[in-house]
Amino acid sequence: MGSQAPLIHARGLVKRFGDLTAVAGIDFEVGRGESFGFLGPNGAGKSSTMRMIGCVSPRTGGELSVLGLDPDHDGPAIRARLGVVPQQDTLDMELTVRENIVIYGRYFGLSRRELKARADRLLEFVQLDERAGSRVEPLSGGMKRRLTIARALVNEPELLLLDEPTTGLDPQARHALWDRLVRLKQQGTTLVLTTHYMDEAEQLCDRLVIMDRGTIAEEGSPAELIRRLSTREVVELRFAGEPPAIEESTFNGAVARVEALPDRVLLYTDDGDALVPVAHERLHPQSVLVRRSTLEDVFLRLTGRMLVD
Amino acid sequence: MTYAFRAYEYWLASYRRVWRGTIFSTILNPVLYLSALGVGLGKLVNRGHQLGVPYLHYVAPGILASTAMLIAAFESAWPVMGAIRWTRQFHAMLATPLRVRDVLLGHQLYALTRVGIASAIYLVVIAAFGAIHSWLAVFAFPAALLLGWSFSAPIAGLSGWLNREEGFNALFRFGVTPMFLFSGTFFPVSRLPQGIREIAYATPTWHGVDLLRGLTLGTASLLPSLGHVAYLAAWVGGGLWWARRTLTRRLVS
Ligand SMILES: Nc1ncnc2c1ncn2[C@@H]1O[C@H](COP(=O)(O)OP(=O)(O)OP(=O)(O)O)[C@@H](O)[C@H]1O
Ligand SMILES: [Mg+2]
């Protein structure tokens, strides 16, 4: 970030819908060129936050500035410089792929001539150039999502907001999409995204906040969060019947923490392989798996729940 | 206003896909209505000579008015709810520099374009049937637009307010269709029983019909006509105010 003013600045940001508090006073900053994520389960308040940043939802309280401007007063000026990929697609299914981009570009006041060139370029970028003339309706979910991203780039935004860009897509489509987003990031576009996939957050985010029930639980880079809030490795034990009661003390200090989930028990340790024989001997699990810690483990530690349930 | 025109372009783009079909029925309908009602039914009605003019000439502005009303009502109903819920195009627009008022006005312009195309065709057909008595009829075009707008504005508000599209069934069954039949379109409101008559006089349709009839028959006088215009304009103004409110609640929350 350096001396540059942040692109987004929020202090004590609150959003209420009647009695329900969707965002309960959060603080964060996003710097230029950064790729910033909101990771959290359903209902955490991610979309509510994104919609406030996108100036389509007035804040209930707190401070918020986007591109140095106040969404309450400068909504249109801010939105002119944003690209928005909403959680739910807003494509017109009856119009063609190209028309969707051109019409959207017209909302920004771009000329048709300019838009023709931009549409070609963007459709190539998201690898939809061959479908330019086809209606949107029959496209696959992944293609529609890529079209939404292409459309969001039509005004050459400084800041791209992506609300769950890959939810509901198959792994292949997700990777294709990540690839495009990484490219954008390399080109210097600031990305703000929400996700409830930890692998997505790890792939795309330089820095992220973990959100739960309208509040921010932690903040940091994915690696840093894992380092700070989890152990290096995790041993997952599955049992044929009821799992035995397991305590940290069973392992003489080799296990930092034990999490008992409905279907498995997680042992947090810095050396998983060393723990496997011990676990076999003392607990007789049906299966044992050693893996690296992920953001999912961080989330579990912070909230006692899993991200995706 | 330039923002509203950007939103208007979206509606024109989606209309471009279907305009051929609508133009055909827009030309055919007035010909059919005027032949059946004006010429056919008119043969029976004219015997009484109570209307002062041939029934064809009497009913022609009524058909124009009801068409303006029906198109405007329809275009502000399902398409507006669709842009909120199904195509979600209003949400797309609001993610750009466009504001709720632009989104609303852009759609209203489109609804009025549809009303305008149909009204112009109707007026030509009515003239071809010889049912225009006065040069005042040139004002019938803006008057039909105004009548259409007095429907499209409040119904856009209703579309923002309704939670389910089933509400439109009630609107058309208990609102639009009775107005279409009983607001002086096909027979004078004075024939209605007392109580009902007063309701008919309060509808924007009656004011539109009376205004249009005065203009095509050349019987319009200034003050009552201005009164009609003011009444319809009040529906437009109130409707736009309400629509902006309901759409804001729905889209920017
Ligand atoms: N327009 C609204 N009116 C009323 N309540 C709302 C509205 N939008 C969101 N909420 C509520 O606010 C809370 C936070 O919702 P939000 O959509 O911000 O969560 P999210 O983190 O994006 O969840 P998801 O992963 O499911 O998209 C939820 O309880 C939701 O029901
Ligand atoms: Mg969401």
Side-chain angles (χ1 to χ4, degrees), chain A residues 132-208:
Chain A
S134 85
R135 278 172 62 239
V136 171
E137 173 95 72
L139 299 188
S140 73
M143 287 174 171
K144 284 182 185 137
R145 221 50 190 146
R146 294 211 301 271
L147 175 56
T148 299
I149 291 178
R151 194 183 68 166
L153 295 171
V154 76
N155 59 328
E156 297 177 343
E158 292 162 59
L159 176 60
L160 184 60
L161 306 177
L162 303 129
D163 197 352
E164 301 197 12
T166 68
T167 297
L169 303 187
D170 60 52
Q172 204 188 339
R174 292 177 71 202
H175 282 279
L177 230 146
W178 288 350
D179 180 58
R180 298 297 96 182
L181 294 178
V182 167
R183 279 267 214 100
L184 282 173
K185 187 162 123 59
Q186 286 164 350
Q187 290 164 12
T189 309
T190 307
L191 306 182
V192 174
L193 61 110
T194 77
T195 181
H196 45 222
Y197 297 124
M198 46 148 190
D199 50 346
E200 185 158 277
E202 281 170 29
Q203 282 275 332
L204 295 177
C205 299
D206 302 327
R207 206 157 56 82
L208 57 91

Side-chain angles (χ1 to χ4, degrees), chain A residues 15 51 56-58 76 79-80 88-92 94 99 103-104 106-109 112 151, chain B residues 6-7 9-10 13-14 16-17 87-89 91-99 251-253:
Chain A
K15 181 73 202 185
R51 285 168 43 79
V56 289
S57 167
R79 293 197 300 269
Q88 239 183 311
D89 278 328
T90 58
L91 301 166
D92 189 308
E94 302 299 324
E99 281 171 327
I103 295 273
Y104 196 76
R106 292 292 298 153
Y107 298 155
F108 290 91
R112 284 193 176 268
R151 194 183 68 166
Chain B
R6 296 179 191 172
E9 277 187 52
Y10 161 74
S14 35
R16 227 187 11 234
R17 291 182 316 106
T87 71
R88 298 178 53 79
Q89 199 55 213
H91 296 274
M93 292 176 184
L94 290 172
T96 75
L98 273 52
R99 300 153 300 182
L251 299 166
V252 185
S253 60

Side-chain angles (χ1 to χ4, degrees), chain A residues 106-292:
Chain A
R106 292 292 298 153
Y107 298 155
F108 290 91
L110 298 163
S111 75
R112 284 193 176 268
R113 200 151 127 255
E114 174 65 26
L115 282 168
K116 191 175 149 27
R118 286 196 192 187
D120 287 339
R121 218 177 326 126
L122 289 169
L123 288 176
E124 199 176 323
F125 177 68
V126 296
Q127 293 153 323
L128 282 174
D129 36 337
E130 281 166 21
R131 307 300 294 266
S134 85
R135 278 172 62 239
V136 171
E137 173 95 72
L139 299 188
S140 73
M143 287 174 171
K144 284 182 185 137
R145 221 50 190 146
R146 294 211 301 271
L147 175 56
T148 299
I149 291 178
R151 194 183 68 166
L153 295 171
V154 76
N155 59 328
E156 297 177 343
E158 292 162 59
L159 176 60
L160 184 60
L161 306 177
L162 303 129
D163 197 352
E164 301 197 12
T166 68
T167 297
L169 303 187
D170 60 52
Q172 204 188 339
R174 292 177 71 202
H175 282 279
L177 230 146
W178 288 350
D179 180 58
R180 298 297 96 182
L181 294 178
V182 167
R183 279 267 214 100
L184 282 173
K185 187 162 123 59
Q186 286 164 350
Q187 290 164 12
T189 309
T190 307
L191 306 182
V192 174
L193 61 110
T194 77
T195 181
H196 45 222
Y197 297 124
M198 46 148 190
D199 50 346
E200 185 158 277
E202 281 170 29
Q203 282 275 332
L204 295 177
C205 299
D206 302 327
R207 206 157 56 82
L208 57 91
V209 292
I210 294 180
M211 249 189 125
D212 189 36
R213 299 170 203 225
T215 60
I216 288 178
E218 277 293 338
E219 175 188 334
S221 72
E224 182 193 327
L225 285 170
I226 293 167
R227 196 169 349 106
R228 190 148 46 87
L229 294 162
S230 189
T231 53
R232 220 167 66 82
E233 295 186 329
V234 187
V235 177
E236 292 200 7
L237 309 176
R238 283 171 198 270
F239 294 90
E242 191 72 9
I246 304 172
E247 308 242 325
E248 283 85 356
S249 57
T250 318
F251 303 95
N252 309 323
V255 170
R257 207 159 50 86
V258 176
E259 285 281 357
L261 299 178
D263 58 335
R264 65 213 140 113
V265 177
L266 308 180
L267 307 178
Y268 289 91
T269 177
D270 282 324
D271 187 352
D273 288 333
L275 208 60
V276 173
V278 188
H280 268 298
E281 185 188 319
R282 301 199 185 158
L283 301 169
H284 313 292
Q286 190 182 35
S287 73
V288 179
L289 169 85
V290 180
R291 61 169 177 81
R292 298 183 69 87

